[in-house]
Amino acid sequence: MNRNKEIRSAGLKVTHARKSILKVLETSKESHLSADSINKILIKKNDDVGIATIYRVLNQFVDAGICIKHHFDSEQAVFELSPIEHHDHMVCVKTGKVIEFEDDVIEKRQEELAKKNGYKIIDHSLVLYVEPIE
Amino acid sequence: MNRNKEIRSAGLKVTHARKSILKVLETSKESHLSADSINKILIKKNDDVGIATIYRVLNQFVDAGICIKHHFDSEQAVFELSPIEHHDHMVCVKTGKVIEFEDDVIEKRQEELAKKNGYKIIDHSLVLYVEPIE
DNA sequence: CTCAGTGCAAACTATTTGCAGATTT
DNA sequence: AAATCTGCAAATAGTTTGCACTGAG
């Protein structure tokens, strides 16, 4: 119920749809879900929420900082709960599995490269598209 | 005319549309263009090519290895001519400017991280979203 | 009770596809 | 001439929006 506070403190009402969507994000084995897969999961639970509402709520969650939205070079966006610690992603092209990782060497290097060009980093996205060895 | 050979050796006919699109990719100051911006540029040149053809040709170019397609976390894809040397991207969120860069330290580190997880890298995408310092 | 939230259907944006006529080889 | 290619318009996928109704506070 802790996360419901997040909804409220974002100035949003704690509605059924928002609670359901948040719970799916919290409890699904997949940490990265598309609006469509959230919809399918809710239908399977007999807890149907309109797809329009799912999109609306996810965008509100992103605005509120509760969620992050990724594109992973595909046309379909996926959402994950905002991580406490920043991390990057490794996506297996065979299985679709998403592995999260974090590396200080890379992080630091990025900062240096941006600064060298006269910029500071607002955000970044590193995705490794991988497949199992042999 | 060198690039036209690329079209032919991909098994594609050297048509007006393909030459026009390739020339835009070669000569535009922006190295990363969306189908829509290519369309606009061609219209301005009075060399209108149907938007459907632009999409078809760009995808053929990607299949042929002539182009690379990126999403840069937006819904609109952008295309660039395949670089000889791999590079990553820095996108200025203020100006939209795209800067290409390459860094061996990061590249090597990525390989290590993938291997540590039992994967090998097929491809990767690193995008720094930046803004000018102060 | 009031205002924000919801579901539905229609609208939109980016992209793809069927088809008949035009081009390349 | 044969096969590929193109433009158009219609189709599709993902996402957003208008509106009348519902529900949270």
Side-chain angles (χ1 to χ4, degrees), chain A residues 32 70 72 80 86-91 98-107 110 123-129, chain B residues 73 86 88-89 101 106-107 109-111 113 121 123-129:
Chain A
H32 297 73
H70 299 281
F72 290 158
E80 66 169 328
H86 160 80
H87 60 245
D88 293 311
H89 300 93
M90 218 176 276
V91 181
V98 178
I99 294 165
E100 298 171 351
F101 69 92
E102 201 280 330
D103 187 72
D104 285 334
V105 175
I106 291 178
E107 299 291 318
Q110 290 175 352
D123 193 9
H124 77 267
S125 153
L126 170 58
V127 186
L128 306 182
Y129 298 94
Chain B
D73 264 24
H86 159 79
D88 293 310
H89 300 93
F101 70 93
I106 291 179
E107 299 291 317
R109 199 71 183 154
Q110 290 175 352
E111 294 290 348
L113 290 163
I121 295 179
D123 193 10
H124 77 267
S125 152
L126 169 58
V127 186
L128 306 182
Y129 298 94

Side-chain angles (χ1 to χ4, degrees), chain A residues 37-53:
Chain A
S37 52
I38 291 174
N39 193 34
K40 290 206 174 74
I41 290 171
L42 289 174
I43 289 172
K44 200 168 294 173
K45 286 188 178 183
N46 281 317
D47 185 19
D48 196 356
V49 167
I51 186 71
T53 299

Side-chain angles (χ1 to χ4, degrees), chain A residues 27-81:
Chain A
T27 61
S28 171
K29 41 258 141 286
E30 300 294 328
S31 50
H32 297 73
L33 298 165
S34 63
D36 185 60
S37 52
I38 291 174
N39 193 34
K40 290 206 174 74
I41 290 171
L42 289 174
I43 289 172
K44 200 168 294 173
K45 286 188 178 183
N46 281 317
D47 185 19
D48 196 356
V49 167
I51 186 71
T53 299
I54 294 177
Y55 276 109
R56 251 181 311 227
V57 168
L58 287 171
N59 285 330
Q60 290 160 344
F61 283 1
V62 169
D63 290 345
I66 298 173
C67 278
I68 297 188
K69 182 178 189 172
H70 299 281
H71 277 263
F72 290 158
D73 265 23
S74 90
E75 40 274 4
Q76 196 169 261
V78 295
F79 300 80
E80 66 169 328
L81 290 176

